[in-house]
Amino acid sequence: MIRNVVRRPLCAARVAARTVALGVAFNAALGIAALALPFASTLRAQAAGSAVTSPDAKAQAVREWREQHEVEIVRELNTLLALPNRANDATGIKRNADIIRTMLARRGLSARLIANGPYPPAVYGELLTLGATRTVMFYAHYDGQPVSPEEWSSAPYKPTLRTAPNADGSPGAERVPPMTGQFDPEGRIYARSSSDDKAPIIAMLAAIDAIRATGQKPDANLKFFFEGEEEAGSAHLSNVLTQNKELLAADVWLICDGPAHQSRDLQIVFGVRGTMGLDATVYGPARALHSGHYGNWAPNPAIMMTELIASLRDTDGKILVDHFYDDVVPPTAADLAAARALPPVEAELRRSLLLGATEADNAALAERIMLPALNLHGIKVGEVGALSTNSVPTEARATFDFRLVADQRPERIRALVEAYLTARGWYVVHDTPTADERLEHARVVRLDWGGGYPAYRLSMDAPAGAALRRVVSGTIGKEVLVLPTLGGSVGLADIYSVVGVPLITFPTVNHDNSQHAKDENIRLQNIWDAIEVFAGVMTKFGTEWRQTVP
C-alpha cells in the first residue's frame, strides 16, 4: 500500500516515541534492532545468496543486438546532448522536445507535446499492446542545470568521449568515437544532461529497438512522459498531469532519474526525500567601511551569517530548530534492514573524496539519507585572496536546502525556522528591509523561500515493487539492490497526488557522474546496462505483475 504523504495530527505519546527513536538514531548511528518483518526476511535471504546466477536469454539477445549497434546509439545520444536545455530558454527547450518527439514517432509510437501554457512542454509517447492488462509509465526529464562553460574541461554542449576518469577523479583523455564496432565500456561521454537525464531517455528508445530486432514483444502498454522543467522546480507539473489525467493513466510510474548505487550495482528505490529551499541575506553597514577605522564597532554581516548558520545545525548534521523533528517518521526496522543489506561503500567513498571522516561518527550513508538534512550550498560575502579589501562588507548571503522525510511539510518547516530565528533575536523580513527597519533592529535577516514539496514513500512490500525486483534481478543475473529512499529529491508527492498509483524510482546512471556540476558525464556501461533492464521491464513486467496480483 502507499504510505500517505499527509497524516493525521500526532498525539503527545506518538511525538515522544518519535523523539526517542530519532535521538537513538543520531546518537547510535541509527541503531534500531531489526524485527522479523517480511521484507527484512527477504533481505536476509538475498544476502545469503540468490538462485539468480546469469542473465536470461532475452537479456542476452538484447545485449548481442546492442553490441552491434553501439555507434548508432551513441550518435543518437550525442545529437540530443548537443542541444542546450535550460528550462527558461524557450527556444532551446522546444528544440529538445521536438527532437525527442521525432525519435519516438520514428519508432512507431504515438507521440505528442503536452503544453498547457507558456512553459516547457512535456513529451508524451505511447506504445499500446493488444490484450495487455497493465500499463507502465516511464518518466524522465530532458531539461538540465545551468552551466559555466569556462569551468568545464570541454564545451558542455559538445559531447566529448573520454577514457575512464583519472585516479583523482578528473576527466580522462579525449578519444575519437569509433566509426564501427564497440566502445570501451569504461569510457564516458561528457556533456550537460548526459546523466541527468538524457541518457536514460536514449536507453529506453534503444530498448524498444532491441526488443523488436530480437523478436520480442512488450507484455504491457508502454507510456513515456518526459518532463521539460524538472531542474527548474516542476512548477507546472501538477497542472499538466491534472489536465491530461486520462491520457496519462497508468498502473505504475517508473521514475528513471538519479544514480545507480555507489557500488555500481543497479538499485530500485521506494521513496525520495522532499525538499525546501532557502536564500538568506543579513545586513551590515549601508556602505563598506574601512576595517581599521570601523572594525570591531560596526557589525560584520559575514560574522553574523556564520553565527546564523551555526545556530541551525550541529557538526554531526542534527538540525537545531525547535520542534523540527516532531513530525518525522523515524526509519523502520525494515528500512534499516534494507540499508544494511547494501554493499559497503563508505570506505572507498571516503578515500576517493579525500574525507578524513564523515558526520555522525562515520555512520552508513544509506542510513543517513533516511533522516532529514540541512545543507549549505554557499556563502557570498566580500572577496578573498588577492581581491580582498580591508573593509567591513555591507551584506552576506547564503543558500540552503532542507531535505525532508515522511510527514514533514515545507510550509511547516518555513514556520518553524522563522519562529526559531525570531526567538533568537533576528528580525525576519521577506523583502529588502527599509531604512527604518534596519535602524530599529540590530539583526535583520531576509528569508526568500524556494518552492518545496514533501517526501514520498511506497511500501517495500508493494506488489508492483516485488514484481519489478524479480524482473530486474532475472535480467541482470543477480539480485538488484533495494533502498527505502533516495537521498535526492524529486516531486513524487505532487505526482502521486494527481495520478494516485505506485511510483518506483529506477535509476540507471553512474553515481560519479558530476550531475548538476561541471564535467557531467555518463559511463557507457551504464547505458548498456540500462538498455537491457529497460527491455526486460518492457517485455516481462506486465506478466510478472499479473502473477503477483491476478
Side-chain angles (χ1 to χ4, degrees):
M1 61 181 291
I2 300 289
R3 173 183 287 172
N4 293 331
V5 295
V6 180
R7 292 173 178 257
R8 63 185 181 276
L10 301 177
C11 66
R14 193 177 176 204
V15 170
R18 289 185 176 185
T19 303
V20 170
L22 286 162
V24 172
F26 271 104
N27 296 328
L30 302 105
I32 301 176
L35 303 177
L37 299 178
F39 189 73
S41 300
T42 300
L43 290 170
R44 286 194 292 271
Q46 291 179 3
S50 168
V52 178
T53 57
S54 60
D56 61 22
K58 288 185 176 181
Q60 184 59 39
V62 170
R63 180 175 301 179
E64 292 172 359
W65 176 89
R66 181 265 302 167
E67 290 173 345
Q68 299 171 13
H69 296 84
E70 291 184 5
V71 171
E72 297 97 306
I73 296 168
V74 170
R75 185 179 297 125
E76 188 167 37
L77 174 60
N78 287 346
T79 298
L80 190 56
L81 293 177
L83 301 178
N85 61 337
R86 285 289 306 279
N88 62 358
D89 173 12
T91 301
I93 210 75
K94 179 63 161 52
R95 189 176 296 120
N96 279 264
D98 284 337
I99 195 169
I100 294 172
R101 177 181 57 182
T102 300
M103 290 174 175
L104 289 166
R106 189 164 62 238
R107 290 167 169 87
L109 279 73
S110 173
R112 70 179 78 175
L113 301 187
I114 301 176
N116 295 315
Y119 43 81
V123 185
Y124 171 78
E126 66 178 25
L127 183 62
L128 302 182
T129 300
L130 184 64
T133 60
R134 302 290 189 193
T135 299
V136 182
M137 179 71 78
F138 293 83
Y139 167 95
H141 65 88
Y142 65 86
D143 65 313
Q145 284 279 318
V147 296
S148 297
E150 67 279 2
E151 297 180 353
W152 285 59
S153 300
S154 51
Y157 296 111
K158 182 181 178 182
T160 302
L161 178 66
R162 294 179 178 272
T163 59
N166 299 315
D168 62 0
S170 61
E174 286 194 35
R175 287 289 182 265
V176 176
M179 299 299 294
T180 59
Q182 294 180 249
F183 287 73
D184 174 2
E186 292 300 322
R188 303 196 181 198
I189 297 173
Y190 284 74
R192 174 55 88 220
S193 297
S194 53
S195 270
D196 189 19
D197 197 23
K198 288 182 175 179
I201 293 175
I202 296 302
M204 294 176 204
L205 301 181
I208 295 172
D209 295 337
I211 61 179
R212 284 175 170 165
T214 56
Q216 302 179 49
K217 295 181 179 180
D219 68 346
N221 296 319
L222 308 180
K223 293 186 176 183
F224 303 86
F225 183 87
F226 301 139
E227 188 185 355
E229 61 172 352
E230 192 274 342
E231 299 291 7
S234 300
H236 303 94
L237 180 58
S238 291
N239 180 45
V240 171
L241 296 176
T242 300
Q243 295 194 28
N244 296 276
K245 192 170 183 177
E246 183 176 347
L247 177 69
L248 301 176
D251 297 298
V252 65
W253 280 53
L254 299 185
I255 310 300
C256 305
D257 189 11
H261 189 253
Q262 289 84 356
S263 63
R264 287 190 169 182
D265 287 336
L266 289 175
Q267 60 185 358
I268 294 173
V269 189
F270 286 80
V272 292
R273 292 196 286 189
T275 188
M276 185 67 177
L278 172 61
D279 198 87
T281 305
V282 300
Y283 300 90
R287 64 178 185 276
L289 300 173
H290 189 288
S291 62
H293 298 321
Y294 295 97
N296 207 33
W297 180 82
N300 189 312
I303 302 300
M304 296 166 67
M305 178 60 80
T306 59
E307 291 173 348
L308 184 151
I309 294 168
S311 75
L312 292 174
R313 74 190 293 274
D314 67 15
T315 55
D316 275 342
K318 184 176 181 179
I319 298 168
L320 303 176
V321 174
D322 298 331
H323 305 292
F324 186 88
Y325 293 98
D326 287 0
D327 299 329
V328 171
V329 176
T332 66
D335 292 339
L336 292 170
R340 293 166 182 170
L342 298 172
V345 296
E346 288 76 15
E348 175 56 26
L349 284 174
R350 282 182 54 191
R351 185 201 64 77
S352 64
L353 297 173
L354 304 181
L355 297 176
T358 67
E359 294 179 346
D361 295 324
N362 295 320
L365 175 61
E367 297 181 19
R368 291 293 286 174
I369 64 174
M370 290 190 286
L371 295 173
L374 170 58
N375 305 295
L376 175 65
H377 295 184
I379 307 173
K380 184 175 182 179
V381 55
E383 298 289 352
V384 298
L387 297 177
S388 66
T389 60
N390 296 327
S391 61
V392 177
T394 60
E395 65 179 38
R397 184 176 176 182
T399 301
F400 309 82
D401 73 63
F402 291 88
R403 299 290 172 163
L404 312 179
V405 297
D407 280 17
Q408 290 187 296
R409 309 292 297 182
E411 59 273 17
R412 168 77 167 159
I413 300 305
R414 172 174 176 162
L416 290 175
V417 171
E418 294 195 359
Y420 177 83
L421 293 176
T422 299
R424 280 152 185 78
W426 290 95
Y427 179 72
V428 176
V429 298
H430 300 104
D431 205 340
T432 303
T434 65
D436 287 343
E437 287 175 319
R438 292 179 63 169
L439 286 169
E440 292 171 6
H441 302 279
R443 299 202 296 175
V444 178
V445 59
R446 172 177 173 173
L447 301 181
D448 293 295
W449 293 94
Y453 44 79
Y456 167 84
R457 282 293 305 275
L458 174 70
S459 168
M460 289 188 290
D461 291 317
L468 184 63
R469 291 202 303 271
R470 290 194 294 271
V471 168
V472 176
S473 297
T475 299
I476 64 178
K478 60 181 179 180
E479 292 293 346
V480 65
L481 302 181
V482 178
L483 275 73
T485 190
L486 197 66
S489 299
V490 183
L492 299 194
D494 290 339
I495 296 176
Y496 175 69
S497 68
V498 178
V499 303
V501 299
L503 312 175
I504 305 174
T505 300
F506 185 37
T508 58
V509 303
N510 45 300
H511 75 278
D512 56 348
N513 57 21
S514 296
Q515 67 183 92
H516 292 197
K518 67 176 183 178
D519 294 331
E520 180 179 353
N521 63 86
I522 178 68
R523 174 174 168 258
L524 288 169
Q525 185 60 51
N526 284 78
I527 302 177
W528 309 152
D529 293 342
I531 294 170
E532 290 181 23
V533 294
F534 285 147
V537 172
M538 292 174 184
T539 57
K540 295 178 287 189
F541 185 36
T543 301
E544 192 68 48
W545 194 0
R546 285 197 303 273
Q547 293 174 352
T548 304
V549 180

